[in-house]
Amino acid sequence: MKKLVFFDFDYTIAKTYEFVRLWSPRGTKIIDNRLYIPLTPEEYNSIQIESDEFIDRSSFEEFKKVNLQKATKLNSVCLLFESYSLMGHDVRILSARPQIAEEYIHEFMNKNSLNYNKQTPFKGCDSSQPELKYSYIKKCMELNNYREVLLFDDSRKVIDHVINKFEQDYDNNTVLTTCLVELHGHEEVLRYKNTHGKKKINKAM
C-alpha cells in the first residue's frame, strides 16, 4: 500500500546553521540596534520565553535561505528518506520555513544526492505553528485517500499536536506513524510512535 510520508527539514533531514532571533534585553548579538539571542531550531522548540522577551516574524529572517556551505545531512533520517523514495511512496518535505526557501532546499537535496531523479515536493508553512503542518497533512491525505501516514519531525510540540488532531479526525482504519528526531552530540535518536484514529464510525441501521 502506498504511504504518505512527510519529513521536516531543519534538524530532521539536515543539521542547519540558521538561527531564530529571540529579541531580549539580555541579547548577545545586535542587528538594527536590537539585541537578540540566537537560537537553533532545536533550542527554539524547548525555550521558555521570559516576559520581557519576544519573537516576531523578523525573528525568522535567516530561514529564507539555507547556508549550503555549512548544512549537513542527518544520515539515519536520510537513509529512511532514500528508502521511502525508492519504494515509490509519496514523500514530501514539510517545513516551518517560508516557501521562498524552496530553491535552497532543493539545492541542498541535489548536492547530497537526495532527489532520486525527481524533485521532492516542498511545502513551506512560514510559521512554527503546528496546526499549519497538520492542515497540510490532512489536505494531502484527503486528496489521495491515504490510510497510512508517516511524519518525521524534531519538534515534540508538532508531533503531539498532529497525534491529537489525527485521533479526533480519523477512524481506526487510518494509521499515523510519528518519529521524533533528536540530536545528542553526534548521536541521532529516532523515537517512533504508532497512532490509530479514534473517531467513531456511524453505521447505518
Side-chain angles (χ1 to χ4, degrees):
M1 181 182 294
K2 191 172 184 178
K3 301 175 183 179
L4 180 61
V5 189
F6 296 95
F7 288 85
D8 180 39
F9 183 72
D10 296 280
Y11 282 75
T12 301
I13 288 177
K15 183 176 181 180
T16 53
Y17 291 85
E18 286 71 53
F19 293 94
V20 179
R21 297 169 184 167
L22 173 62
W23 305 112
S24 170
R26 292 168 294 284
T28 57
K29 292 185 177 295
I30 188 168
I31 188 169
D32 297 331
N33 295 318
R34 301 170 72 188
L35 287 169
Y36 71 94
I37 299 171
L39 304 173
T40 66
E42 190 177 31
E43 291 168 334
Y44 172 66
N45 284 333
S46 59
I47 191 71
Q48 292 293 323
I49 298 176
E50 301 296 333
S51 60
D52 58 351
E53 299 175 330
F54 67 95
I55 284 173
D56 59 16
R57 288 189 66 82
S58 65
S59 298
F60 301 94
E61 188 67 24
E62 293 185 23
F63 289 86
K64 292 179 179 179
K65 299 180 179 181
V66 177
N67 187 328
L68 296 168
Q69 300 303 314
K70 289 187 174 182
T72 56
K73 68 179 184 179
L74 299 188
N75 289 319
S76 58
V77 178
C78 287
L79 282 172
L80 291 165
F81 183 94
E82 176 184 23
S83 178
Y84 285 116
S85 297
L86 293 178
M87 285 191 292
H89 295 298
D90 187 349
V91 178
R92 300 165 182 257
I93 300 172
L94 179 56
S95 173
R97 286 179 181 256
Q99 194 66 34
I100 197 173
E102 181 175 18
E103 64 177 290
Y104 297 95
I105 302 293
H106 287 312
E107 191 171 345
F108 174 88
M109 303 299 281
N110 287 330
K111 180 181 177 182
N112 289 278
S113 303
L114 291 169
N115 267 332
Y116 310 108
N117 301 318
K118 66 176 183 178
Q119 196 171 73
T120 304
F122 171 80
K123 170 63 177 177
C125 295
D126 196 16
S127 171
S128 60
Q129 296 301 312
E131 54 264 29
L132 296 179
K133 283 193 173 183
Y134 179 72
S135 178
Y136 182 71
I137 291 170
K138 186 176 181 181
K139 177 182 177 181
C140 292
M141 287 179 66
E142 294 179 353
L143 279 174
N144 297 282
N145 197 31
Y146 283 110
R147 283 295 184 176
E148 191 165 351
V149 187
L150 295 94
L151 171 64
F152 294 81
D153 205 296
D154 70 308
S155 170
R156 187 178 296 276
K157 182 179 178 182
V158 166
I159 284 181
D160 287 347
H161 179 85
V162 170
I163 288 173
N164 182 55
K165 295 296 291 183
F166 182 89
E167 288 180 335
Q168 295 176 32
D169 291 343
Y170 295 96
D171 61 44
N172 190 58
N173 295 317
T174 311
V175 182
L176 167 70
T177 301
T178 55
C179 178
L180 179 65
V181 180
E182 298 178 339
L183 287 184
H184 299 290
H186 295 293
E187 184 179 22
E188 301 166 17
V189 179
L190 308 183
R191 302 187 187 280
Y192 287 90
K193 182 177 181 179
N194 286 328
T195 302
H196 286 261
K198 294 183 178 179
K199 186 177 180 180
K200 299 296 183 182
I201 301 174
N202 292 323
K203 297 181 179 180
M205 296 297 290

